[in-house]
């Protein structure tokens, strides 16, 4: 049990999620990172959070499975006593042209990127409602705002996150819970490592890919500092969507 504020970051062992976990630790939060499979990476991130002076734990569960997500969140509550910040970050891509898209590609992306937000946020929001405070940040994407050829599944899921963010912000505002989203552009992580960087950079007004820390700073701002901001989607994309 702890009196300190607690943050949960899904998909927090690497990439953007890891940067968010470290930034929230720097802001004074104990941080639980959820991870799907890579225990070594998760343990390394936990060590890095602890080195910042905060308590940390890694919790393995599949965010696209309602039962395991709910069980894990109840276990987190039992151990840490509260959840003040939730970052719905876990996500995957399974790109294909729509005419060739397989059921598995469509369903896995919708399950992991959108249904997960329902599975994880419902039990967490019950905790936040009891606390009468909380802040939720959802990871959207430029793809969910302007659409991306070859990513009908991903664009649909991320646009879903935008609608989810706005509806939930209205529902939970009276309980002192804020809900916002970040829409990253192209960020240098495992997810984008095989993309043609030179071609992409030409389209970005700031002429560079973003770093996970660029997203993490915005997530921390929305989660921690932005007391009067709810229902917003902040683009962090080097100007891509202008
Ligand atoms: P990444 O591939 O490095 O990290 C994704 C994380 O999600 C990994 O830790 C992975 O284990 C976890 N994850 C995947 N499926 C999971 C599941 N079923 N249960 C639990 N965890 C699961 O990717 P990156 O770039 O760090 O992405 C993080 C978020 O940011 C994703 O939602 C992604 O869609 C979004 N995003 C990323 C952009 C980029 O350019 N990298 C651009 C726009 C949005």
């Amino acid at each position: 049990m702890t009196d300190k504020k607690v943050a949960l970051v899904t998909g927090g062992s690497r990439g953007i999620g890891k940067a968010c976990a470290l930034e929230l630790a720097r802001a004074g939060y104990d941080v639980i990172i959820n991870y799907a499979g890579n225990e070594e990476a998760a343990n390394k991130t936990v060590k890095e959070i602890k080195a910042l002076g905060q308590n940390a734990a890694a919790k393995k569960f599949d965010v696209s499975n309602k039962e395991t997500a709910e069980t894990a969140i109840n276990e987190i509550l039992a151990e840490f006593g509260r959840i003040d910040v939730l970052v719905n970050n876990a996500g995957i891509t399974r790109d294909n042209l729509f005419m060739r898209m397989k059921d598995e590609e469509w369903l896995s992306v919708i399950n992991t990127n959108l249904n997960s937000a329902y599975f994880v946020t419902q039990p967490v929001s019950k905790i936040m409602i009891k606390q009468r405070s909380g802040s939720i940040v959802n990871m959207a994407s430029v793809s969910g705002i302007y659409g991306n050829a070859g990513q009908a599944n991903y664009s649909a899921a991320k646009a879903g996150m935008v609608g989810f963010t706005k509806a939930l912000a209205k529902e939970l505002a009276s309980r002192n819970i804020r809900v916002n989203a970040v829409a990253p552009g192209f960020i240098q992580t495992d997810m984008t490592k095989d993309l043609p960087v030179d071609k992409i950079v030409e389209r970005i007004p700031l002429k560079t890919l973003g770093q996970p820390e660029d997203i993490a700073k915005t997530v921390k701002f929305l989660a921690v500092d932005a007391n009067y901001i709810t229902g917003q989607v902040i683009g962090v994309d080097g100007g891509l969507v202008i």
Side-chain angles (χ1 to χ4, degrees), residues 11-17 34-36 61-64 89-92 112-113 139-142 154 158 184-187 189-192:
S13 63
R14 67 167 197 242
I16 292 171
N34 147 260
Y35 70 103
F61 63 92
D62 178 356
V63 292
S64 69
N89 166 78
I92 57 169
T112 306
N113 295 13
M139 208 53 73
S141 166
V142 291
Y154 187 80
K158 293 301 189 180
F186 289 96
I187 310 300
T189 67
D190 286 355
M191 190 175 269
T192 51

Side-chain angles (χ1 to χ4, degrees), residues 94-106 150-154:
R94 295 284 182 275
D95 297 354
N96 209 345
L97 290 175
F98 185 64
M99 295 313 291
R100 292 190 197 142
M101 192 162 281
K102 311 271 185 306
D103 291 354
E104 191 278 330
E105 291 165 340
W106 178 269
Q151 287 197 315
N153 50 359
Y154 187 80

Side-chain angles (χ1 to χ4, degrees), residues 134-137 165 169 173 176-181 218 221-234:
S135 179
I136 298 165
V137 182
T165 298
N176 192 31
I177 299 165
R178 297 179 301 101
V179 189
N180 292 289
T218 310
F221 166 71
L222 288 171
V224 179
D225 307 322
N227 286 328
Y228 201 53
I229 298 180
T230 197
Q232 299 304 303
V233 183
I234 310 285

